[in-house]
Amino acid sequence: MSQEHNMRRVTAIRNGTVIDHIPSGQAMRVLEMLNIDKSTSVPVSMVMNVPSKKMGTKDIIKVEDRELNQDELNRLALVAPEAHVAIIRAYSVAEKMTIEVGEEVINVVRCTFSNCITTNPREPLPHRLRVVSKEPLTLRCHYCDRPQDLEKLIGNLKSNGCFL
């Protein structure tokens, strides 16, 4: 194997989060969902289309001095349902997590149908989306049974600045 293949593409981080096994081409979407943009004050490294034995190609993101919370991990599952997340402390992996989408996505994102009962402020219902299929990810609202447009869900997150 040539020396070029053994080179590390991005340097190690002291503290922060590494998101690996992001489907190729989805890294920008992940950054949007995590509200990471040019105003972010911490260093962010992104590598796209990296060779992967498991996936063919993949994307990787490293965010220094920031650990993802559970809400962010739940959002990540919408774009990268099989991603691996490593929390780094003092240059070592302190925690490892594999993102998994369950049978339902609860209070992570709102139904995209404007007449759904969940849009009525007088009806304080939990936001529940059923996972119909994991590959590709297909969601339906628990209440109105409308299929959800993943692009719209992600767009709502960006325009609102948060899920709920």
Side-chain angles (χ1 to χ4, degrees):
M1 192 177 257
S2 72
Q3 189 175 5
E4 186 178 307
H5 282 74
N6 290 329
M7 265 182 21
R8 188 177 277 201
R9 295 180 193 271
V10 180
T11 60
I13 60 176
R14 181 184 6 219
N15 297 303
T17 303
V18 176
I19 308 169
D20 195 358
H21 293 95
I22 300 169
S24 193
Q26 298 298 312
M28 295 297 289
R29 214 182 208 184
V30 170
L31 292 175
E32 282 180 32
M33 290 184 65
L34 298 176
N35 294 319
I36 296 172
D37 57 22
K38 64 184 178 185
S39 66
T40 301
S41 61
V42 297
V44 176
S45 302
M46 177 179 67
V47 184
M48 296 177 74
N49 302 316
V50 176
S52 167
K53 290 178 186 172
K54 179 182 171 186
M55 303 173 72
T57 58
K58 65 181 179 179
D59 295 351
I60 303 169
I61 297 173
K62 292 184 178 185
V63 183
E64 292 189 42
D65 298 323
R66 179 172 169 188
E67 293 184 11
L68 299 184
N69 61 39
Q70 190 60 52
D71 286 342
E72 292 170 321
L73 293 172
N74 291 340
R75 284 185 252 162
L76 179 60
L78 295 175
V79 174
E82 295 179 15
H84 297 259
V85 176
I87 303 299
I88 310 297
R89 296 185 189 122
Y91 293 104
S92 296
V93 176
E95 294 178 52
K96 268 188 170 182
M97 299 166 265
T98 299
I99 304 300
E100 293 181 27
V101 176
E103 308 236 340
E104 264 191 331
V105 177
I106 301 173
N107 286 333
V108 174
V109 67
R110 297 175 194 261
C111 175
T112 58
F113 180 53
S114 61
N115 275 346
C116 182
I117 193 161
T118 60
T119 62
N120 185 340
R122 293 178 293 175
E123 296 287 345
L125 296 168
H127 300 279
R128 296 173 61 186
L129 301 177
R130 282 190 334 272
V131 176
V132 177
S133 166
K134 291 186 181 186
E135 190 58 42
L137 185 60
T138 308
L139 305 170
R140 282 190 172 272
C141 179
H142 173 79
Y143 303 102
C144 68
D145 203 39
R146 298 277 178 136
Q148 301 299 296
D149 180 338
L150 206 51
E151 294 293 324
K152 237 182 186 179
L153 287 174
I154 293 166
N156 287 349
L157 291 175
K158 188 175 179 189
S159 64
N160 295 339
C162 65
F163 276 92
L164 296 172

